[in-house]
Amino acid sequence: SSGINAEYGDAAKGFGGKFGVQKDRVDKSAHSFGEVEHGAQYKTAIDVKGDVKNFRSRFENFGAAAEEENRRKVEEEKRKRDLEFKRQVEASKKKEAAAEELRAKEEQFRREEEQKKKKKKKK
């Protein structure tokens, strides 16, 4: 040996074999440099910004949809209140008309009674 430690003497045996790789000690899941897939598997910063914009627009759309739903519910409640108010007004008018008709009949009955009394007095 030339004075160098025996482990380091033969490049074909130590630290990875002849070209830096010992075939029997290679991770089975490892790929060689020739197997690298071309094309980005990772998103670039531009894509991330796009995702942030999409997230923001989805969030804003969610808020807009919630506002629209609330507005629709408010309009529906207002419509229901208006219908109920109209029903109450109509019922009130009917009651008032019935009461007026009853008053008119009572007044007519009272007049007829007075006329009968006057006729009896004259006789």
Side-chain angles (χ1 to χ4, degrees), residues 76-92:
E76 182 66 21
E77 288 296 320
K78 184 177 184 287
R79 188 185 65 79
K80 285 180 182 179
R81 280 194 310 268
D82 289 347
L83 282 174
E84 183 61 29
F85 180 74
K86 286 179 183 179
R87 286 186 198 126
Q88 289 176 354
V89 167
E90 288 175 9
S92 177

Side-chain angles (χ1 to χ4, degrees), residues 1 5 26 51 76 93 114 117:
S1 178
N5 192 339
V26 174
D51 285 348
E76 182 66 21
K93 285 180 181 179
E114 285 178 5
K117 284 182 185 178

Side-chain angles (χ1 to χ4, degrees), residues 16-99:
K18 185 174 183 182
F19 297 105
V21 177
Q22 289 181 326
K23 300 292 184 197
D24 61 335
R25 295 188 178 107
V26 174
D27 185 358
K28 302 294 185 225
S29 65
H31 296 283
S32 69
F33 288 107
E35 296 178 35
V36 174
E37 294 180 19
H38 294 287
Q41 291 181 344
Y42 302 100
K43 292 185 177 183
T44 63
I46 295 169
D47 291 334
V48 172
K49 287 181 183 177
D51 285 348
V52 169
K53 287 180 182 177
N54 288 339
F55 179 75
R56 181 178 181 183
S57 65
R58 281 189 292 172
F59 184 76
E60 288 171 351
N61 289 341
F62 177 74
E67 286 178 15
E68 178 66 25
E69 181 67 18
N70 289 340
R71 186 187 60 76
R72 189 188 60 75
K73 284 181 182 179
V74 167
E75 287 177 359
E76 182 66 21
E77 288 296 320
K78 184 177 184 287
R79 188 185 65 79
K80 285 180 182 179
R81 280 194 310 268
D82 289 347
L83 282 174
E84 183 61 29
F85 180 74
K86 286 179 183 179
R87 286 186 198 126
Q88 289 176 354
V89 167
E90 288 175 9
S92 177
K93 285 180 181 179
K94 285 180 183 179
K95 285 181 183 178
E96 203 170 299

